Amino acid sequence: MKAIFFTLFLTICSISYAQEGITVSGNSISITEIPPIWPGCTGNAIEKKACFKKELVNHVISNFQFPEGYKKGSVKEKVIVDFVINEEGKPQILAVKGGTKMLQEEAKRNILAIPQMTPGQAGGSPRAIKYSMPFTF
């Protein structure tokens, strides 16, 4: 009898405190991250994620500018920018590695030009989601 009441109690607690993206299974809890949504991206979660990736690549390509003194094919360096789309939906640089100072500045400028978007979520609350973007000059 106690086991039935205990099971019923746990079921009622999980239902009353359920949040989007949180799954309770036995003794484990998993929180699903929902990625940021790029402006204009629609559809289900998979379509929004694919749209985000496509739009990010399009953004980087269309906003890319070689720094003064550089031209296409004149240098072969790689710059990696680690950034988050923060809880407000804005890009925030965490780290920049590789390349010269001028190439790093161009990569940072490009990432910071990402438009405002709907922030990612975890457990129904806004959450910063981390990304890493390589630039090959």
Side-chain angles (χ1 to χ4, degrees):
M1 187 69 158
K2 286 183 181 180
I4 294 172
F5 283 124
F6 182 71
T7 305
L8 183 61
F9 174 75
L10 285 178
T11 304
I12 291 171
C13 287
S14 3
I15 291 170
S16 63
Y17 290 106
Q19 293 182 2
E20 184 179 345
I22 297 179
T23 307
V24 178
S25 177
N27 291 337
S28 65
I29 297 174
S30 65
I31 299 174
T32 304
E33 278 188 348
I34 299 168
I37 301 169
W38 196 279
C41 289
T42 59
N44 63 32
I46 294 170
E47 292 168 334
K48 288 177 187 174
K49 190 173 184 177
C51 180
F52 177 90
K53 288 179 181 180
K54 182 180 135 220
E55 292 299 325
L56 178 60
V57 169
N58 288 341
H59 167 82
V60 168
I61 291 169
S62 65
N63 288 295
F64 183 81
Q65 299 171 4
F66 273 98
E68 192 174 318
Y70 290 93
K71 61 182 178 182
K72 190 174 182 177
S74 68
V75 69
K76 292 186 179 178
E77 293 188 48
K78 188 174 190 176
V79 175
I80 299 172
V81 180
D82 294 327
F83 67 100
V84 294
I85 302 299
N86 67 18
E87 293 89 349
E88 295 155 7
K90 297 178 183 178
Q92 189 175 2
I93 304 292
L94 298 176
V96 182
K97 300 172 242 163
T100 65
K101 183 78 170 162
M102 288 177 74
L103 297 176
Q104 288 179 358
E105 290 302 317
E106 170 53 24
K108 285 186 347 187
R109 182 201 63 77
N110 198 311
I111 293 298
L112 290 173
I114 289 173
Q116 172 82 30
M117 59 186 72
T118 304
Q121 293 188 6
S125 300
R127 179 165 184 191
I129 307 291
K130 185 178 177 185
Y131 295 93
S132 185
M133 181 63 140
F135 290 77
T136 304
F137 293 87

